[in-house]
Amino acid sequence: MTARPRRARPRPPSASTARAPLAIVLALAGAVASPLAAQDAPRPDTAVRREAAAARAAALYGRLADGRTGEPLAGAEVVVDGPTPRRTRTAADGRWQVVGLAPGRYVVRARHIGHIARATTVDLAAGARAEPALVLEPAVLPLDAMIVTAARREQRLGDAVVTTELVSRAEIAETGASDLAAVLTERTGVELQGGHPAGAGVMLQGIGSERVLILLDGQPIAGRIAGVFDVSRIPASSVERIEIVKGPQSTLYGSEAMGGVVNIITRRPPTGRIGAHATLLAGTESRLDGSAGVSGGTRTLAGALDASRRTIENTPGRDETLGALAERTDLAARAHWSPDASLIVDAGLLALDERQRWRAGSLFQFADNRQWTGRLGASWRRGAHRLAPTLSASSFDHLARESAAPKPIAGDPGDRQVQRLLEAELLYNVALGAHALDLGVEAKREETRAERVEGERRTLHGVEPFAQAEVVLGSVAVVPGVRVSWNEQWGTHTTPRLAARWRAGERLTLRASAGTGYRAPDFKELYMFFQNESANYSVRGNPDLRPEHSRNATVGAEWSDGAVYARGQLFWNEFRDFIETRPISAPDEPAVYQYANVDDGLTRGAEVEAGAFVGIVRIEGAWSLLDTEDRGTGRPLLGRPTHALRATIGSPLPLALRAAATVVVTGRTPMERDDATGAITGWRETYARLDARLARALPGGLELVVGADNLFDRRPARWAGFTGRHVYTSLSWTFDRALARGTP
């Protein structure tokens, strides 16, 4: 047999043979990936340069604190000038840091509002870290603080051409006040007048509250009752500062600014930070106040929201406490949007609900007030030019009722009055080197609805353009201005003014102004018809009324070196055509009164104030002298004190305590006169009150406060408002933190 040949079995591949394809794949992948990796990886020389630069980079850091209290200064500006210029702000604990600086000499400047700016020089070696020694001493008069009221644009307090009084947030907190009236009580030259039916109005330089304009963030507010705006409605918790300009300001602000302007600036939302606050306060007269708020945002968008509830058993502007009650709930909101450095859009809202009760004879009187004020504005800058349109609206609903019981009668419609105000404003500012030009126009619509107004509903329209220029000639600035006001009811009125500022030295500034003011007749004076059948008299409006007029001259001087200041001014106001009621009925007929332009007179006087730091103690004092005359009688005007005095002392104490005390003295005041002879028949005696406050900082952002107003319980007769001793304590909490770096 022939044998078959055997088939060869396939031999299994060796390990080296099996790895060959994988090696080929890896080799190809490596060949492809190597160029790509080479592109992303830093070249050896670049990496070396970076490491060397990092090794040479220097840094500056530090902590800014108040030189007298040692407390950290949050939000202070730190500017680093040198080979690598930088700018930053301090955190809530006062700390700051600037890194990545090239070696060289640097000038470090620190600035915080209300403090004296400081600078120091630092030489930085490669890779060095240095902590410059910078401590900011507080300025007793913050001339670098920014204000807006004096010129309707931002400027330093020291650059204002008219004397402006600034009440800062810190000063508001020192008063322990929960409303604006309690804050202004401690200001020299500011008198509070009792309102009708209830309220606390502001009087400046002897000019009554009907002729003092109240603004909220630069815009007018509806809500006057019998000509008086009750400033106690405004909650202190949402106020950042108060700017007061005394004397006629009609050139910039129109009607109601004959006696001056009080501009209430609400808290602006912080950018690059987030914060919150809450306060609970309890006191005598069953006072219970609570407020809380949150705020914060990025560099582009920020907002703030505040709410408060205030209750006390007395009513503003009235001294009766039996059966009295005031309850207020309010909400304040503000938003800020700035997509770039050239544009800012700002919106604000204040809404409040108020209940008041007091006794008049055998009856309880009630006033229910609902109010809201909203504003939407923008500021657009391009180079030296600024354009600022603003639209504002305000509404006030007042309901008055009475009852023999401490609650209103169910179903009683009462006496209702509704006021609405709509205003559109356009401002244009341009800086021409050292000079400036301010132009503006306002269009206004006012409406009132009330049974006592003829026709029950009336509206008025007006347009008011104005212009002001600041011409700087060396150390002298001259500011002429004029306003033309047109109203469909009373026609056209022009109010010019000329003001000047002379920097007589590095620390001395002199100011002078002369101008005119006016106040337009309001709805009540134009259209009111009121009949009191039980007393057998009536009051009628007069549609033929003319605006009231005034002329003013003011001169003043201001000296400050940061730690010490003194300033004073002399003023003279002559007014004519003031609107008052006069009898028009025959002797044997029921009494009928009608409003008419019948009153002329003048106010003149002086105001002086000074302050200083003595070691760690802050001392301030002020005195005012007022002389008035009613040209009809030749006698002083009623309700105007001849003298007023204020003295304040504040100091940090051991154990993290802070103490403050204020003495306010209001001189003897004429209150009643004989109608036949004009002789003064009733006076209010001198009233001296001492307010004291003690505060202690606690861990976790807490602060405990104990205070007393009118510590010695002085109670003068005929005073507009409660004057008894008031004791209170409060606990507050504050939180503030910077947002993470890189937040847009």
Side-chain angles (χ1 to χ4, degrees), residues 190-390:
V190 179
E191 296 292 330
L192 295 183
Q193 293 182 298
H196 176 76
V202 176
M203 179 169 63
L204 301 176
Q205 293 186 348
I207 305 297
S209 55
E210 303 94 330
R211 299 160 181 97
V212 174
L213 180 62
I214 308 297
L215 302 173
L216 184 68
D217 290 322
Q219 301 301 312
I221 320 173
R224 291 182 179 269
I225 303 175
V228 175
F229 184 91
D230 180 14
V231 292
S232 70
R233 287 191 219 125
I234 307 298
S237 60
S238 62
V239 178
E240 177 63 29
R241 67 183 190 273
I242 306 167
E243 298 177 10
I244 305 171
V245 184
K246 301 171 184 175
Q249 304 300 317
S250 296
T251 299
L252 290 182
Y253 292 100
S255 181
E256 298 175 10
M258 288 183 69
V261 174
V262 177
N263 193 3
I264 306 157
I265 310 296
T266 58
R267 291 188 179 188
R268 182 174 178 176
T271 57
R273 313 190 68 81
I274 185 170
H277 67 88
T279 300
L280 181 63
L281 183 149
T284 52
E285 288 76 53
S286 301
R287 180 182 175 187
L288 185 61
D289 299 341
S291 64
V294 294
S295 62
T298 66
R299 293 190 300 269
T300 302
L301 181 63
L305 183 66
D306 291 274
S308 71
R309 169 76 174 176
R310 298 169 281 154
T311 304
I312 192 169
E313 291 184 350
N314 61 49
T315 47
R318 306 187 70 89
D319 58 0
E320 308 95 339
T321 58
L322 182 62
L325 179 68
E327 296 178 337
R328 301 178 181 94
T329 303
D330 52 75
L331 179 72
R334 190 165 177 180
H336 176 88
W337 178 58
S338 181
D340 55 57
S342 65
L343 178 63
I344 297 173
V345 178
D346 191 72
L349 173 68
L350 174 65
L352 65 90
D353 184 87
E354 178 181 52
R355 298 288 182 270
Q356 294 179 343
R357 182 184 69 203
W358 68 96
R359 293 198 68 164
S362 60
L363 297 177
F364 286 94
Q365 304 292 322
F366 305 92
D368 298 342
N369 302 314
R370 289 190 177 95
Q371 181 167 16
W372 65 263
T373 298
R375 171 185 51 83
L376 176 62
S379 176
W380 178 75
R381 294 181 182 272
R382 184 169 184 178
H385 304 270
R386 172 180 173 266
L387 194 64
T390 302

Side-chain angles (χ1 to χ4, degrees), residues 700-719:
L702 296 172
E703 183 182 60
L704 179 66
V705 174
V706 177
D709 296 337
N710 191 15
L711 188 61
F712 297 118
D713 201 24
R714 301 292 176 84
R715 302 195 181 204
R718 300 187 177 95
W719 189 263

Side-chain angles (χ1 to χ4, degrees), residues 175-176 282-283 691-695 705-709 711 726-730:
T175 66
D691 300 342
R693 182 178 185 270
L694 186 65
V705 174
V706 177
D709 296 337
L711 188 61
H726 178 73
V727 181
Y728 62 90
T729 183
S730 70

Side-chain angles (χ1 to χ4, degrees), residues 431-588:
L432 306 170
H435 316 297
L437 178 64
D438 307 305
L439 304 176
V441 61
E442 297 174 1
K444 184 184 300 184
R445 181 184 187 275
E446 299 175 87
E447 177 186 342
T448 187
R449 287 186 293 168
E451 291 183 359
R452 296 186 181 184
V453 171
E454 292 184 6
E456 296 191 3
R457 178 176 178 176
R458 292 281 181 167
T459 59
L460 289 175
H461 299 83
V463 178
E464 304 181 26
F466 60 91
Q468 176 175 274
E470 183 170 346
V471 181
V472 180
L473 306 171
S475 59
V476 177
V478 180
V479 183
V482 65
R483 185 185 193 98
V484 179
S485 302
W486 172 85
N487 184 279
E488 62 181 335
Q489 177 64 39
W490 44 262
T492 303
H493 190 72
T494 303
T495 48
R497 184 181 71 174
L498 179 65
R501 182 195 66 236
W502 175 32
R503 299 195 187 281
E506 182 180 351
R507 300 175 180 176
L508 178 63
T509 301
L510 304 178
R511 296 180 174 91
S513 65
T516 61
Y518 82 100
R519 184 186 75 93
D522 61 23
F523 286 101
K524 166 180 63 71
E525 295 160 343
L526 289 169
Y527 306 119
M528 177 182 180
F529 178 78
F530 169 70
Q531 179 140 12
N532 189 324
E533 295 182 356
S534 60
N536 200 27
Y537 78 91
S538 61
V539 181
R540 298 179 180 177
N542 183 357
D544 296 326
L545 290 173
R546 304 181 307 276
E548 302 173 341
H549 301 78
S550 72
R551 294 184 295 173
N552 166 271
T554 302
V555 294
E558 177 180 273
W559 182 92
S560 175
D561 69 352
V564 179
Y565 84 93
R567 64 178 180 176
Q569 63 177 355
L570 303 173
F571 62 87
W572 175 85
N573 297 298
E574 181 184 45
F575 59 85
R576 55 190 174 89
D577 295 333
F578 266 25
I579 299 171
E580 302 289 347
T581 56
R582 63 176 180 179
I584 60 172
S585 55
D588 297 332

